[in-house]
Amino acid sequence: MSITARHYSRERNQRETEDMSLLRRASTSLSQSLGFARRSLKSLKFAGESLDSSASPALIHGIHVFHCPDELGIVAKLSDCIASRGGNILGADIFVPENKQVFYSRSDFVFDPAKWPRVKMEEDFLKLSKTFNAMRSVVRVPALDPKYKIAVLASKQAHCLVDLLHSWQDGRLPVDITCIISNHDRGPNTHVTRFLERHGIPYHYLHTATGNKREAEILDLVQNTDFLVLARYMQVLSGSFLSSYGKDVINIHHGLLPSFKGGNPSRQAFDAGVKLIGATSHFVTEELDSGPIIEQMVERVSHRDNLQSFIQKSENLEKQCLAKAIKSYCELRVLPYEENKTVVF
């Protein structure tokens, strides 16, 4: 090999060695950068998202609703109450009606129960309630607090009752059903009876007659409930019963109140040729079908509907509307507003 050839070979080997060294350094730097990026992305937190479980304890969900006279600083104090205990607000709904000087809010938040015990949370919100002379201040922690206990009253029509039972079985209805009360005697081999027997839910048949609504017996059966549900219960509860019970009663009405009151509402609406049908879920008051409305749903009908399809659509609306109202109530989304209205967040 000539001197020139050997010199060229040495230069090429030297350049290749330098290139390999540069490549290794670049590879190491890239690997370190990627590792940093992975660590940064893993530790990055976004507002409203849960914290990385490997870096923080398990957080649980809480709900707080507040109703008080309106004044400056309420939102700041509410936020500080939660943040000062290490909680994080995930969402908040606020309503201040024009010219009414009242304040409504509902807050969803997460917190560490080890840092903010449930009893201490109650004390903190109570203190806030006294500061602002609140008419209502309720806190609920679904994972720690008992489910609401309800009794369901129903008559012969079973579509709403069956839907509630199946929703409860599937875990979509956050309540415990203590019993079913009915003025209709269901046989031992019906779908409802078999379902209740499988799940250990008592069924109480109380025959009613004019002048005897069996209200004293109903009161005895529902003493340990948090609220009542009327799932197409075709009896009017008296003012005396409502006063003695003293808690909320939720009803489903077959139409957009105040239309088509009384018996056979689907036939009334069908004969009237309506183009929209609906269902209304509302609180029960002494005045028939006039309590504060919680939820309403509608569906279009036409001349192509016969009475059977008309009734089917109406019953589907009733089931959906009642279930939605109960769920909203249990999630503290329903607040009283003025004399006969509701705020539903």
Side-chain angles (χ1 to χ4, degrees):
M1 182 183 293
S2 66
I3 294 175
T4 301
R6 286 198 299 271
H7 179 71
Y8 174 77
S9 179
R10 283 198 300 272
E11 285 185 344
R12 186 178 65 184
N13 291 338
Q14 184 176 357
R15 283 198 303 272
E16 289 176 349
T17 301
E18 290 173 351
D19 289 345
M20 289 298 293
S21 178
L22 285 171
L23 184 61
R24 283 194 297 270
R25 287 199 297 273
S27 177
T28 301
S29 177
L30 180 61
S31 176
Q32 291 173 343
S33 297
L34 287 174
F36 174 78
R38 283 193 294 268
R39 289 193 298 274
S40 297
L41 287 172
K42 184 177 180 181
S43 61
L44 189 60
K45 307 292 188 299
F46 295 94
E49 291 189 348
S50 61
L51 303 175
D52 181 11
S53 60
S54 63
S56 64
L59 302 178
I60 60 176
H61 171 231
I63 308 165
H64 178 251
V65 294
F66 205 53
H67 174 202
C68 68
D70 188 33
E71 63 176 270
L72 292 175
I74 302 174
V75 174
K77 289 289 187 181
L78 281 169
S79 301
D80 183 63
C81 178
I82 295 170
S84 65
R85 300 296 183 182
N88 183 34
I89 295 177
L90 301 181
D93 287 297
I94 294 168
F95 174 57
V96 181
E98 189 176 2
N99 300 323
K100 297 295 182 182
Q101 295 300 309
V102 290
F103 174 93
Y104 296 87
S105 73
R106 180 184 182 276
S107 303
D108 277 297
F109 59 95
V110 290
F111 70 101
D112 178 358
K115 295 180 180 178
W116 200 9
R118 184 67 180 83
V119 174
K120 182 61 180 173
M121 178 185 292
E122 201 75 44
E123 292 174 356
D124 289 344
F125 282 120
L126 179 60
K127 189 181 301 182
L128 201 64
S129 176
K130 292 178 179 178
T131 299
F132 291 104
N133 298 312
M135 289 80 90
R136 177 169 300 205
S137 176
V138 181
V139 62
R140 183 159 182 80
V141 182
L144 300 179
D145 297 346
K147 290 182 179 180
Y148 288 110
K149 293 181 179 180
I150 71 168
V152 181
L153 281 71
S155 293
K156 184 175 181 179
Q157 286 182 295
H159 58 283
C160 285
L161 173 60
V162 169
D163 183 72
L164 292 182
L165 291 174
H166 287 164
S167 295
W168 168 81
Q169 182 185 37
D170 296 341
R172 291 180 283 118
L173 203 62
V175 297
D176 283 332
I177 301 175
T178 62
C179 68
I180 308 298
I181 301 169
S182 180
N183 62 337
H184 175 67
D185 187 13
R186 288 178 167 80
N189 201 33
T190 64
H191 171 70
V192 169
T193 303
R194 292 197 303 270
F195 182 98
L196 297 176
E197 288 175 349
R198 282 199 308 271
H199 295 281
I201 300 174
Y203 183 86
H204 302 283
Y205 164 57
L206 299 177
H207 174 70
T208 57
T210 303
N212 184 11
K213 299 294 185 69
R214 311 288 292 272
E215 289 188 344
E217 293 163 86
I218 295 174
L219 277 173
D220 286 340
L221 294 171
V222 302
Q223 282 303 308
N224 294 322
T225 57
D226 296 300
F227 65 97
L228 301 181
V229 174
L230 308 187
R232 302 296 279 124
Y233 185 60
M234 305 306 290
Q235 298 291 320
V236 178
L237 297 176
S238 69
S240 175
F241 175 92
L242 296 174
S243 176
S244 297
Y245 180 61
K247 302 168 193 173
D248 289 324
V249 181
I250 296 176
N251 184 39
I252 183 66
H253 181 82
H254 41 245
L256 293 174
L257 289 174
S259 301
F260 306 118
K261 292 184 179 181
N264 211 344
S266 293
R267 168 62 76 176
Q268 293 181 49
F270 180 76
D271 290 344
V274 301
K275 303 306 179 188
L276 282 175
I277 59 172
T280 302
S281 188
H282 64 98
F283 290 113
V284 177
T285 59
E286 190 169 355
E287 187 178 353
L288 179 64
D289 292 334
S290 299
I293 292 171
I294 305 169
E295 183 64 57
Q296 289 186 300
M297 292 183 179
V298 297
E299 183 170 335
R300 184 166 290 280
V301 293
S302 77
H303 58 277
R304 299 185 186 279
D305 281 288
N306 57 32
L307 183 58
Q308 183 178 0
S309 66
F310 195 98
I311 292 173
Q312 182 64 56
K313 288 181 178 180
S314 180
E315 290 183 350
N316 285 339
L317 282 178
E318 290 171 10
K319 292 187 292 187
Q320 295 172 49
C321 189
L322 181 58
K324 178 73 180 298
I326 295 171
K327 193 168 185 292
S328 294
Y329 185 90
C330 292
E331 293 175 351
L332 303 186
R333 297 185 182 278
V334 185
L335 291 169
Y337 173 45
E338 295 186 331
E339 184 177 349
N340 201 40
K341 296 182 180 178
T342 56
V343 172
V344 183
F345 286 121

